[in-house]
Amino acid sequence: MTDIKSTFKVLEGGMARTATPLYQTFHSAWITNTRLMGVICLCIRWTGDSPRSGDLYQFFYFEAEGQGFDRFEWHDGVDKTSLRELEASLIGGLGGRKVAIRQQEAVHLAQYFIRYNKKYALALPEPEDKYLFLLEMDGTLTEEQQTALFDKSCVRLTSKNALANYFLMRVFGHDFPAAARLAADGVDLDLFPDLNVLTYYRNEITMAEGRSSCRCESLIETTQGFRVIVTALTFTGMKISGFRCISNMRISDMEAYMNLAHSEFVTVYRYEGNPEEFVRSSTELTKNAMILPEHNGRTFMIYNPTNDHVKEPVYLLYNDLTGVYHMDDSGQLLVSSATLRNIRKLELDLHFSPLREKLTPVSSFEFNEPVLMQYLDSDFTDFLEFIDSIKVE
């Protein structure tokens, strides 16, 4: 009789081991409560099965207006500084907070992101082998659990201005699953099927007496150009119960520019040190900045910690930005903001930073329109020379 032990090899089974060969134990997970802005970041942390292996951190970035699941990052958790850098690069500009969720909720969301891309023929981000094992895990949620998970991904609405702005953002972005969460049953959401909206720049809300309805005048950019769309919204509690279009008008690029023009304050410094020393950890405000390598240097986009600008009767896209630092390779540091209050905040941030002794103020300017981005798009390598070139005598 043949020895069975010599003929067959016993393979260890189990879904958890097949799905996560190196990271056996779920540790924790969180999501950002930014779903109503059209984006969400999910982080799942798995614990390694040996003391020598670091934890696996998975970051999923999902954009609900067409891009879908378009960024995936992973980290072994060993280098905590690079882990903080990675997290800040993903969520530093979202204006939300992290909300803890359960394993099954995290798996459900990750599976939704993956299946969304497959449904709309969108390429999955690399490396796929770092997250596709999640499709083998149980992410089943009841409808009530899915609703609770969606609520965790959203800020709590207490302002009708915010409700109106979030609703219009989701409608113009054709993000109807989210828009439906803000509306009563039966509200027609697809009033603009032919509009391919790129950006929701401005919205002015005029509340009716009693605050049971409002009129909104929205400036948006579409693939066909800029438009001003006037709509009427009706509220029942904190839900949109009525929605209709009053007018939909094309405007010129110049008219759009005039509507969006705003002041800009710029302070110029000379940095007497190595420009590469100016990094995320240099100041308090740069810790959560979005950092972009551009124009012979790096730009630090510093966003407000919340999206409270959506509560204003006049919503402006740029109001989520505290300001900008741009350090070029020659040591010229440009500090920019749309308000005097925020430029002072940025200057104080530098004043109390370890870099203070190496910074010398050179000039300060107030412009009646944004200038810094024009400079960064130009061929000039010195901001002061650029200003001289655009001066009107």
Side-chain angles (χ1 to χ4, degrees):
M1 181 176 179
T2 305
D3 184 356
I4 295 178
K5 290 183 180 180
S6 66
T7 305
F8 296 101
K9 182 179 180 181
V10 178
L11 299 177
E12 186 176 356
M15 179 174 290
R17 181 163 296 278
T18 301
T20 55
L22 297 179
Y23 302 92
Q24 298 298 319
T25 308
F26 172 82
H27 182 283
S28 57
W30 53 258
I31 51 172
T32 54
N33 64 340
T34 52
R35 180 62 183 84
L36 295 181
M37 295 297 292
V39 295
I40 187 172
C41 184
L42 162 68
C43 174
I44 309 177
R45 178 180 176 183
W46 304 91
T47 300
D49 59 357
S50 91
R52 291 177 297 175
S53 61
D55 289 358
L56 171 68
Y57 292 79
Q58 298 173 303
F59 294 92
F60 303 78
Y61 192 92
F62 179 80
E63 205 277 348
E65 295 183 14
Q67 280 75 24
F69 173 31
D70 66 345
R71 184 178 176 187
F72 172 78
E73 304 287 349
W74 67 278
H75 196 281
D76 62 13
V78 175
D79 184 343
K80 298 303 181 186
T81 299
S82 64
L83 178 61
R84 287 192 293 269
E85 287 269 347
L86 175 57
E87 183 176 312
S89 75
L90 285 155
I91 69 173
L94 296 187
R97 63 181 182 87
K98 297 186 289 188
V99 179
I101 59 173
R102 297 179 294 106
Q103 175 177 347
Q104 201 148 354
E105 292 174 316
V107 172
H108 175 87
L109 268 182
Q111 291 176 349
Y112 173 79
F113 297 162
I114 295 167
R115 289 166 180 158
Y116 180 97
N117 277 32
K118 290 183 176 181
K119 177 179 178 180
Y120 293 102
L122 300 171
L124 288 170
E126 297 290 345
E128 295 181 27
D129 63 306
K130 290 293 183 181
Y131 60 84
L132 285 183
F133 67 80
L134 291 165
L135 291 176
E136 302 175 34
M137 302 181 73
D138 183 11
T140 306
L141 297 180
T142 65
E143 286 191 18
E144 292 77 13
Q145 290 171 331
Q146 290 181 50
T147 299
L149 177 57
F150 184 88
D151 289 343
K152 290 179 184 180
S153 72
C154 301
V155 293
R156 182 170 177 266
L157 293 181
T158 58
S159 159
K160 288 184 175 177
N161 286 339
L163 173 59
N165 276 316
Y166 279 131
F167 176 76
L168 290 175
M169 285 182 206
R170 299 301 95 233
V171 166
F172 288 140
H174 292 178
D175 180 12
F176 300 127
R181 301 278 186 169
L182 303 175
D185 292 341
V187 174
D188 185 4
L189 304 175
D190 197 8
L191 296 188
F192 308 100
D194 299 326
L195 283 188
N196 187 359
V197 177
L198 300 176
T199 310
Y200 179 78
Y201 278 110
R202 187 179 192 275
N203 186 50
E204 184 170 354
I205 300 171
T206 304
M207 282 287 175
E209 188 175 352
R211 303 181 68 82
S212 61
S213 63
C214 71
R215 178 183 182 274
C216 294
E217 184 174 307
S218 309
L219 172 57
I220 62 174
E221 183 180 8
T222 74
T223 51
Q224 295 81 33
F226 291 95
R227 308 192 76 85
V228 172
I229 298 179
V230 180
T231 53
L233 305 179
T234 304
F235 306 104
T236 299
M238 288 302 291
K239 291 279 190 179
I240 303 296
S241 54
F243 178 43
R244 62 187 179 90
C245 178
I246 297 173
S247 67
N248 181 351
M249 180 176 63
R250 173 77 182 269
I251 64 171
S252 68
D253 291 0
M254 181 56 67
E255 288 174 302
Y257 178 82
M258 295 300 292
N259 271 280
L260 296 173
H262 59 86
S263 298
E264 182 177 51
F265 298 86
V266 177
T267 303
V268 183
Y269 292 87
R270 169 58 52 189
Y271 181 64
E272 305 297 340
N274 184 347
E276 293 184 1
E277 294 174 354
F278 195 88
V279 294
R280 184 181 301 282
S281 58
S282 293
T283 80
E284 281 299 311
L285 293 180
T286 53
K287 287 180 179 177
N288 293 311
M290 299 286 287
I291 305 175
L292 307 171
E294 63 177 352
H295 200 78
N296 302 314
R298 284 166 297 157
T299 298
F300 294 71
M301 308 287 289
I302 300 168
Y303 290 88
N304 297 334
T306 70
N307 289 309
D308 283 351
H309 62 299
V310 301
K311 298 178 182 179
E312 299 298 321
V314 178
Y315 165 88
L316 293 164
L317 176 65
Y318 63 79
N319 275 352
D320 67 342
L321 188 67
T322 301
V324 174
Y325 293 142
H326 177 77
M327 174 71 82
D328 70 20
D329 295 338
S330 71
Q332 186 176 72
L333 174 63
L334 306 176
V335 183
S336 164
S337 184
T339 68
L340 183 60
R341 178 180 180 180
N342 280 340
I343 197 70
R344 295 288 182 251
K345 183 176 182 179
L346 295 170
E347 291 169 348
L348 286 172
D349 179 53
L350 293 171
H351 179 78
F352 290 107
S353 76
L355 303 179
R356 172 188 174 185
E357 299 302 323
K358 296 181 180 181
L359 287 171
T360 302
V362 176
S363 299
S364 294
F365 301 91
E366 179 182 355
F367 303 101
N368 60 7
E369 61 180 293
V371 169
L372 178 61
M373 291 305 160
Q374 294 181 42
Y375 165 69
L376 296 180
D377 287 337
S378 75
D379 293 327
F380 284 83
T381 57
D382 183 279
F383 183 74
L384 299 179
E385 291 180 2
F386 173 75
I387 294 306
D388 286 339
S389 76
I390 63 173
K391 279 183 179 177
V392 177
E393 302 295 341

